[in-house]
Amino acid sequence: MSLRRFGKIMLPAMLALWLTACGINAIPTAEENAKAKWADVQNQYQRRADLIPNLVATVRGYAEQEREVLVEVTNARARATSVNVSPEQLTDPAAVEQFSQAQGALSQSLGRLLLVVERYPDLKSNQNFLALQSQIEGTENRIAIARLDYNRAVQDYNTEIRTFPSIVGARLIYGAKPMVPFQATSPGAEQAPKVEF
């Protein structure tokens, strides 16, 4: 076998091996996984936003005197649903921060609404409200899990584009930028809430 023929065979094989080692497939796979996890986060927030009108309507029937809290929840929901982050904006810390703040304000409003429930025992005994309260609790848990899954996917993606040999493909082929993980933005979010009666 001649050297020239050997080179024609080995050069494409080595090029294919090099491209495989540069994360040519791993980078878009990790990026798409992170985008899918972000869609899951948004889905869970949408689920919560859809439940809130039902919760507010149920509570309104039992707690007219707490209209201010109900209005606050309704307004917070409107603000939270007006802020969206597309997959292309996941590398923009300001966009993710704005989304996080809007969702944090809604979480705080829901917390105050649930405190109203503690003040009115007859409201707690209403089966509709108990079902909605359970749905909100489940939704908040789903949101927490979706955010955790998103942060893990972002960590995997960011690690992939920053480590050798994938960094070569990330910079030369994709121009990849790190994605922004979801972070708690509510003041005092790092501390457990105190409920006082």
Side-chain angles (χ1 to χ4, degrees), residues 91-112:
T91 57
D92 181 6
V96 174
E97 173 73 17
Q98 183 182 15
F99 181 84
S100 298
Q101 286 179 351
Q103 295 301 329
L106 180 54
S107 293
Q108 287 179 344
S109 296
L110 285 173
R112 283 192 283 282

Side-chain angles (χ1 to χ4, degrees), residues 132-145:
L132 287 169
Q133 186 177 15
S134 175
Q135 287 291 322
I136 285 182
E137 180 182 336
T139 299
E140 293 299 319
N141 289 336
R142 288 181 179 126
I143 288 170
I145 290 168

Side-chain angles (χ1 to χ4, degrees), residues 38 45 48 80 83 85 92-108 147 151 180-191:
W38 180 250
Y45 278 127
R48 178 174 73 175
V83 178
V85 176
D92 181 6
V96 174
E97 173 73 17
Q98 183 182 15
F99 181 84
S100 298
Q101 286 179 351
Q103 295 301 329
L106 180 54
S107 293
Q108 287 179 344
R147 289 188 305 215
N151 282 347
V180 181
F182 193 95
Q183 298 176 358
T185 59
S186 302
E190 69 282 353
Q191 298 174 354

